[in-house]
């Protein structure tokens, strides 16, 4: 690509969309996205391994981040999701193992962030977690009732404490999370989806106290 040496980009105020693969594999170090941008398409900044932070202008109109739009940005540390984002997919940030400051605008009506994880606004659904600190003990809000598919995939935290409202575990929630050795689920648990604990080489013990399964 002729853009491989690109380190800095300034977007015009009237820009509304950043297209598929537009800046992938460039050397951009930071981004400031103007408020009129409504969509960032698939792999727009894929494999920008020098990119450390992404900021959005106040009152950002961005409502869609496509799959892999910021994936494999190995230096990305900080990202704030704007208020109008209504869909969220973990593949957006796939392979970003230094991402330790993921925040969601407080005015977002659909999601909120707690401990580098994305939850539904009412905190009943855990959608995705981005915790890569070995030995970190993750404590879920007591209100969480459902953990969605692959929520903890590729995470490397050491343990997790579930609240007593938990009812459902999604598919492959621990995919390639090889730090956790044991799991203890509350009596409230009702459903475990297919392959929930598959592809986890270090898991030695799962205790399910519920009689509803």
């Amino acid at each position: 690509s002729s853009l491989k040496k690109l380190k800095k980009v300034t977007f015009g105020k009237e820009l509304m969309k950043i297209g598929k693969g537009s800046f992938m594999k460039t050397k951009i170090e930071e981004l400031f996205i103007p408020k009129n941008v409504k969509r960032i398409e698939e792999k727009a900044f894929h494999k920008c391994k020098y990119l450390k932070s992404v900021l959005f202008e106040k009152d950002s109109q961005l409502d869609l981040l496509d799959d892999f739009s910021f994936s494999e940005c190995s230096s990305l540390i900080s990202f704030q999701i704007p208020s109008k984002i209504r869909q969220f997919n973990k593949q957006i940030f796939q392979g970003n193992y230094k991402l330790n400051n993921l925040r969601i605008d407080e005015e977002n009506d659909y999601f909120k962030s707690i401990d580098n994880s994305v939850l539904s606004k009412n905190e009943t659904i855990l959608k995705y977690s981005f915790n890569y600190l070995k030995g970190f003990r993750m404590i879920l809000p007591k209100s969480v009732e459902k953990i969605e598919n692959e929520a903890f995939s590729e995470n490397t935290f050491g343990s997790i404490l579930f609240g007593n409202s938990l009812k459902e575990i999604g598919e492959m929630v621990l995919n390639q999370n090889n730090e956790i050795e044991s799991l203890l689920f509350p009596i409230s648990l009702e459903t475990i989806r297919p392959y929930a604990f598959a592809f986890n080489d270090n898991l030695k013990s799962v205790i399910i106290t519920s009689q509803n399964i």
Side-chain angles (χ1 to χ4, degrees):
S1 170
S2 60
L3 293 177
K4 283 187 176 180
K5 294 183 179 181
L6 183 68
K7 292 184 178 182
K8 184 177 180 180
V9 59
T10 302
F11 298 113
K13 291 184 177 181
E14 303 305 315
L15 185 68
M16 297 185 67
K17 181 176 75 172
I18 300 176
K20 180 178 179 180
S22 295
F23 297 95
M24 65 182 294
K25 297 184 180 180
T26 57
K27 294 184 177 181
I28 295 172
E29 296 178 357
E30 57 184 32
L31 285 172
F32 180 75
I33 309 294
K35 65 180 181 181
N36 287 324
V37 174
K38 297 193 69 174
R39 179 170 182 168
I40 298 177
E41 292 190 341
E42 182 181 350
K43 293 189 176 181
F45 298 98
H46 175 65
K47 287 191 175 181
C48 289
K49 63 180 182 179
Y50 298 97
L51 181 62
K52 293 181 179 179
S53 67
V54 180
L55 296 175
F56 293 89
E57 187 176 3
K58 186 179 179 181
D59 299 323
S60 171
Q61 300 302 301
L62 187 76
D63 60 15
L64 185 61
L65 287 166
D66 276 351
D67 288 357
F68 308 106
S69 48
F70 288 92
S71 60
E72 296 187 49
C73 295
S74 55
S75 297
L76 186 62
I77 296 171
S78 176
F79 197 103
Q80 178 161 347
I81 295 171
S83 63
K84 294 188 182 299
I85 289 290
R86 63 187 189 278
Q87 295 181 1
F88 194 90
N89 191 315
K90 190 162 188 174
Q91 280 72 27
I92 294 169
F93 300 117
Q94 184 174 348
N96 294 351
Y97 303 124
K98 290 185 178 180
L99 182 61
N100 59 24
N101 187 18
L102 178 67
R103 294 162 292 138
I104 297 176
D105 192 295
E106 291 181 357
E107 295 184 8
N108 190 294
D109 291 332
Y110 305 97
F111 308 112
K112 70 183 304 181
S113 56
I114 299 176
D115 290 337
N116 235 46
S117 298
V118 178
L119 294 93
S120 59
K121 189 70 171 182
N122 63 4
E123 297 184 28
T124 60
I125 300 174
L126 177 75
K127 297 190 71 65
Y128 303 109
S129 172
F130 300 89
N131 283 291
Y132 305 112
L133 295 175
K134 291 187 177 182
F136 176 75
R137 179 171 173 78
M138 186 171 185
I139 301 176
L140 293 189
K142 294 180 180 179
S143 55
V144 171
E145 298 178 2
K146 178 182 179 180
I147 299 175
E148 291 205 340
N149 298 347
E150 300 188 62
F152 303 124
S153 67
E154 298 185 341
N155 281 212
T156 53
F157 57 80
S159 62
I160 184 168
L161 179 64
F162 301 101
N164 288 326
S165 297
L166 185 64
K167 295 179 181 179
E168 181 178 337
I169 301 289
E171 297 179 15
M172 299 201 307
V173 290
L174 290 171
N175 182 30
Q176 297 182 55
N177 183 328
N178 292 321
E179 294 297 318
I180 289 182
E181 295 186 2
S182 64
L183 293 168
L184 172 61
F185 290 104
I187 196 169
S188 57
L189 187 62
E190 297 176 354
T191 304
I192 298 175
R193 297 294 178 191
Y195 306 104
F197 313 122
F199 312 110
N200 187 309
D201 296 340
N202 211 33
L203 188 61
K204 299 174 183 176
S205 171
V206 176
I207 301 174
I208 302 171
T209 57
S210 173
Q211 296 180 358
N212 298 321
I213 304 263

